[in-house]
Amino acid sequence: MKLVIVAATGGIGRQLLAQALAAGHQVTAVVRTPSKLDADVPAVTVDLSRPDPEALRTAVTGADAVLSGLGARTKADHGVATRGTVALVDAMQTVGTQRLVLVSAAPIGTVPSPARPNPPRHDPGDGLFMRHLLNPMVKQAFKGHYADLAAMEDAVRACSLDWTLIRPPQLTDGPRTGDYRTALGRNLKGGTKISRADVADLMLRTLTRPESVRQVVGIAY
């Protein structure tokens, strides 16, 4: 397939790039600093905190799918997931590229957003530990980051693309195992961790899974 990987120098983006190339896909990377890429692939330079619409349209034209690992790495990056994704969606809709797979986070289904000011108090897949102890602590610690991801999800849900949102719990630098659980529309009970490599594995697998289109997918060990 002809794939575009957004934020290909990030933690998940690097895994996507390596795994996509190993599988024989043709890859174009959308990155702020092409010199940081781990592979010699075509690159389009875009700072997604201040997205260039024309550059994004060039990047996604003719792609079979776009995979995005975009998210804030520091407080200075706050809002980048929303701004970058809105621009990415606009570019894809303009040129007719339809398939989009993005990374969000496990708690986002219960985080208020402009389009969902009163979300469910609990995710249906969360157990008692997650509901009453871990999730409240994590949401407070990452309040700004999660608000950005929640607004990003609003933009994705409102678009006409064939999107999939992947919601992982705590990310680790562990290996790709392929041995993980998934669920449509909810988190996984008892699932507190997943490696970036396995998130990338799932993102690529969803490209051949039509049941994941316009769905939120939970993942965890």
Side-chain angles (χ1 to χ4, degrees), residues 157-174:
R157 290 174 182 275
C159 78
S160 61
L161 302 179
D162 293 335
W163 53 266
T164 301
L165 286 161
I166 307 295
R167 287 184 181 162
Q170 181 182 347
L171 295 168
T172 76
D173 290 323

Side-chain angles (χ1 to χ4, degrees), residues 4 28-30 43-48 50-62 83-84 86-95 97:
V4 174
T28 296
V30 173
V44 177
T45 304
V46 181
D47 181 352
L48 287 163
R50 296 181 295 276
D52 179 343
E54 184 176 351
L56 283 174
R57 288 193 293 269
T58 298
V60 302
T61 295
R83 290 193 299 273
V86 166
L88 180 63
V89 165
D90 287 346
M92 292 178 65
Q93 292 182 143
T94 298
V95 304
T97 297

Side-chain angles (χ1 to χ4, degrees), residues 17 20 28 87-88 107 113 133 153 186 205:
L17 180 60
T28 296
L88 180 63
S113 67
L133 183 60
E153 286 200 7
R186 62 179 178 84
R205 287 175 186 265

Side-chain angles (χ1 to χ4, degrees), residues 27-113:
V27 176
T28 296
V30 173
V31 290
R32 180 162 46 190
T33 311
S35 62
K36 294 183 179 180
L37 283 166
D38 291 338
D40 184 14
V41 296
V44 177
T45 304
V46 181
D47 181 352
L48 287 163
S49 64
R50 296 181 295 276
D52 179 343
E54 184 176 351
L56 283 174
R57 288 193 293 269
T58 298
V60 302
T61 295
D64 295 307
V66 178
L67 302 103
S68 175
L70 182 62
R73 299 185 192 180
T74 67
K75 288 185 178 180
D77 290 333
H78 176 67
V80 68
T82 303
R83 290 193 299 273
T85 300
V86 166
L88 180 63
V89 165
D90 287 346
M92 292 178 65
Q93 292 182 143
T94 298
V95 304
T97 297
Q98 194 66 15
R99 189 71 172 102
L100 176 63
V101 183
L102 313 95
V103 176
S104 184
I108 302 304
T110 60
V111 174
S113 67

